PDB file of all heavy atoms in Angstrom:
ATOM      1  N   ARG A 138      24.935  20.054  -8.574  1.00  0.00           N
ATOM      2  CA  ARG A 138      24.979  21.132  -9.585  1.00  0.00           C
ATOM      3  C   ARG A 138      23.600  21.443 -10.135  1.00  0.00           C
ATOM      4  O   ARG A 138      23.407  22.516 -10.717  1.00  0.00           O
ATOM      5  CB  ARG A 138      25.987  20.787 -10.656  1.00  0.00           C
ATOM      6  CG  ARG A 138      27.398  20.829 -10.197  1.00  0.00           C
ATOM      7  CD  ARG A 138      28.422  20.810 -11.359  1.00  0.00           C
ATOM      8  NE  ARG A 138      28.480  19.566 -12.046  1.00  0.00           N
ATOM      9  CZ  ARG A 138      29.299  18.581 -11.739  1.00  0.00           C
ATOM     10  NH1 ARG A 138      30.071  18.660 -10.743  1.00  0.00           N
ATOM     11  NH2 ARG A 138      29.298  17.453 -12.479  1.00  0.00           N
ATOM     12  N   ARG A 139      22.660  20.491 -10.047  1.00  0.00           N
ATOM     13  CA  ARG A 139      21.325  20.758 -10.537  1.00  0.00           C
ATOM     14  C   ARG A 139      20.406  21.308  -9.477  1.00  0.00           C
ATOM     15  O   ARG A 139      19.260  21.591  -9.724  1.00  0.00           O
ATOM     16  CB  ARG A 139      20.758  19.458 -11.086  1.00  0.00           C
ATOM     17  CG  ARG A 139      21.361  19.137 -12.492  1.00  0.00           C
ATOM     18  CD  ARG A 139      21.186  17.658 -12.798  1.00  0.00           C
ATOM     19  NE  ARG A 139      21.769  17.368 -14.111  1.00  0.00           N
ATOM     20  CZ  ARG A 139      23.035  17.175 -14.388  1.00  0.00           C
ATOM     21  NH1 ARG A 139      23.919  17.309 -13.413  1.00  0.00           N
ATOM     22  NH2 ARG A 139      23.438  16.888 -15.585  1.00  0.00           N
ATOM     23  N   CYS A 140      20.907  21.476  -8.268  1.00  0.00           N
ATOM     24  CA  CYS A 140      20.127  22.033  -7.152  1.00  0.00           C
ATOM     25  C   CYS A 140      20.142  23.559  -7.249  1.00  0.00           C
ATOM     26  O   CYS A 140      21.099  24.135  -7.688  1.00  0.00           O
ATOM     27  CB  CYS A 140      20.675  21.622  -5.791  1.00  0.00           C
ATOM     28  SG  CYS A 140      20.460  19.871  -5.388  1.00  0.00           S
ATOM     29  N   LEU A 141      19.117  24.156  -6.681  1.00  0.00           N
ATOM     30  CA  LEU A 141      19.160  25.564  -6.446  1.00  0.00           C
ATOM     31  C   LEU A 141      20.360  25.894  -5.558  1.00  0.00           C
ATOM     32  O   LEU A 141      20.565  25.170  -4.615  1.00  0.00           O
ATOM     33  CB  LEU A 141      17.884  26.076  -5.787  1.00  0.00           C
ATOM     34  CG  LEU A 141      16.582  25.988  -6.599  1.00  0.00           C
ATOM     35  CD1 LEU A 141      15.401  26.373  -5.762  1.00  0.00           C
ATOM     36  CD2 LEU A 141      16.694  26.923  -7.827  1.00  0.00           C
ATOM     37  N   GLN A 142      21.062  26.902  -5.881  1.00  0.00           N
ATOM     38  CA  GLN A 142      22.245  27.217  -5.063  1.00  0.00           C
ATOM     39  C   GLN A 142      22.059  28.550  -4.345  1.00  0.00           C
ATOM     40  O   GLN A 142      21.424  29.444  -4.840  1.00  0.00           O
ATOM     41  CB  GLN A 142      23.465  27.308  -5.971  1.00  0.00           C
ATOM     42  CG  GLN A 142      23.829  25.999  -6.691  1.00  0.00           C
ATOM     43  CD  GLN A 142      24.256  24.934  -5.724  1.00  0.00           C
ATOM     44  OE1 GLN A 142      24.907  25.160  -4.737  1.00  0.00           O
ATOM     45  NE2 GLN A 142      23.860  23.694  -6.037  1.00  0.00           N
ATOM     46  N   PRO A 143      22.585  28.711  -3.173  1.00  0.00           N
ATOM     47  CA  PRO A 143      23.246  27.680  -2.391  1.00  0.00           C
ATOM     48  C   PRO A 143      22.216  26.703  -1.837  1.00  0.00           C
ATOM     49  O   PRO A 143      21.067  27.066  -1.643  1.00  0.00           O
ATOM     50  CB  PRO A 143      23.927  28.482  -1.251  1.00  0.00           C
ATOM     51  CG  PRO A 143      23.071  29.645  -1.071  1.00  0.00           C
ATOM     52  CD  PRO A 143      22.511  29.997  -2.423  1.00  0.00           C
ATOM     53  N   VAL A 144      22.731  25.483  -1.554  1.00  0.00           N
ATOM     54  CA  VAL A 144      21.844  24.447  -0.922  1.00  0.00           C
ATOM     55  C   VAL A 144      21.379  25.028   0.399  1.00  0.00           C
ATOM     56  O   VAL A 144      22.152  25.581   1.193  1.00  0.00           O
ATOM     57  CB  VAL A 144      22.612  23.151  -0.725  1.00  0.00           C
ATOM     58  CG1 VAL A 144      21.858  22.177   0.155  1.00  0.00           C
ATOM     59  CG2 VAL A 144      22.918  22.545  -2.110  1.00  0.00           C
ATOM     60  N   PHE A 145      20.101  24.926   0.696  1.00  0.00           N
ATOM     61  CA  PHE A 145      19.491  25.459   1.908  1.00  0.00           C
ATOM     62  C   PHE A 145      19.920  24.558   3.102  1.00  0.00           C
ATOM     63  O   PHE A 145      19.418  23.454   3.205  1.00  0.00           O
ATOM     64  CB  PHE A 145      17.991  25.547   1.799  1.00  0.00           C
ATOM     65  CG  PHE A 145      17.347  26.133   3.052  1.00  0.00           C
ATOM     66  CD1 PHE A 145      17.441  27.452   3.372  1.00  0.00           C
ATOM     67  CD2 PHE A 145      16.674  25.284   3.929  1.00  0.00           C
ATOM     68  CE1 PHE A 145      16.843  28.003   4.493  1.00  0.00           C
ATOM     69  CE2 PHE A 145      16.035  25.787   5.067  1.00  0.00           C
ATOM     70  CZ  PHE A 145      16.161  27.113   5.350  1.00  0.00           C
ATOM     71  N   ASP A 146      20.810  25.042   3.944  1.00  0.00           N
ATOM     72  CA  ASP A 146      21.240  24.287   5.051  1.00  0.00           C
ATOM     73  C   ASP A 146      21.295  25.125   6.363  1.00  0.00           C
ATOM     74  O   ASP A 146      22.035  24.821   7.267  1.00  0.00           O
ATOM     75  CB  ASP A 146      22.584  23.594   4.802  1.00  0.00           C
ATOM     76  CG  ASP A 146      23.749  24.560   4.599  1.00  0.00           C
ATOM     77  OD1 ASP A 146      23.486  25.773   4.575  1.00  0.00           O
ATOM     78  OD2 ASP A 146      24.877  24.069   4.437  1.00  0.00           O
ATOM     79  N   SER A 147      20.490  26.163   6.398  1.00  0.00           N
ATOM     80  CA  SER A 147      20.478  27.035   7.555  1.00  0.00           C
ATOM     81  C   SER A 147      20.194  26.322   8.843  1.00  0.00           C
ATOM     82  O   SER A 147      20.664  26.706   9.920  1.00  0.00           O
ATOM     83  CB  SER A 147      19.438  28.142   7.378  1.00  0.00           C
ATOM     84  OG  SER A 147      19.763  28.947   6.246  1.00  0.00           O
ATOM     85  N   TYR A 148      19.432  25.222   8.777  1.00  0.00           N
ATOM     86  CA  TYR A 148      19.068  24.492   9.984  1.00  0.00           C
ATOM     87  C   TYR A 148      19.815  23.162  10.109  1.00  0.00           C
ATOM     88  O   TYR A 148      19.458  22.327  10.923  1.00  0.00           O
ATOM     89  CB  TYR A 148      17.568  24.257   9.990  1.00  0.00           C
ATOM     90  CG  TYR A 148      16.791  25.540  10.079  1.00  0.00           C
ATOM     91  CD1 TYR A 148      16.192  26.050   8.931  1.00  0.00           C
ATOM     92  CD2 TYR A 148      16.658  26.213  11.281  1.00  0.00           C
ATOM     93  CE1 TYR A 148      15.491  27.254   9.028  1.00  0.00           C
ATOM     94  CE2 TYR A 148      15.930  27.402  11.332  1.00  0.00           C
ATOM     95  CZ  TYR A 148      15.345  27.917  10.209  1.00  0.00           C
ATOM     96  OH  TYR A 148      14.670  29.092  10.293  1.00  0.00           O
ATOM     97  N   ALA A 149      20.872  22.977   9.292  1.00  0.00           N
ATOM     98  CA  ALA A 149      21.590  21.709   9.266  1.00  0.00           C
ATOM     99  C   ALA A 149      22.188  21.362  10.625  1.00  0.00           C
ATOM    100  O   ALA A 149      22.354  20.189  10.958  1.00  0.00           O
ATOM    101  CB  ALA A 149      22.654  21.694   8.210  1.00  0.00           C
ATOM    102  N   ASP A 150      22.557  22.359  11.424  1.00  0.00           N
ATOM    103  CA  ASP A 150      23.143  22.109  12.739  1.00  0.00           C
ATOM    104  C   ASP A 150      22.093  22.232  13.851  1.00  0.00           C
ATOM    105  O   ASP A 150      22.440  22.302  15.006  1.00  0.00           O
ATOM    106  CB  ASP A 150      24.294  23.092  12.970  1.00  0.00           C
ATOM    107  CG  ASP A 150      25.441  22.828  12.074  1.00  0.00           C
ATOM    108  OD1 ASP A 150      25.768  21.615  11.818  1.00  0.00           O
ATOM    109  OD2 ASP A 150      26.062  23.801  11.571  1.00  0.00           O
ATOM    110  N   GLY A 151      20.812  22.279  13.490  1.00  0.00           N
ATOM    111  CA  GLY A 151      19.744  22.444  14.485  1.00  0.00           C
ATOM    112  C   GLY A 151      19.421  23.892  14.680  1.00  0.00           C
ATOM    113  O   GLY A 151      19.840  24.792  13.908  1.00  0.00           O
TER     114      GLY A 151
END
Side-chain angles (χ1 to χ4, degrees):
R138 288 195 291 271
R139 284 161 179 77
C140 289
L141 292 174
Q142 298 294 325
V144 169
F145 180 73
D146 64 357
S147 298
Y148 297 101
D150 292 320

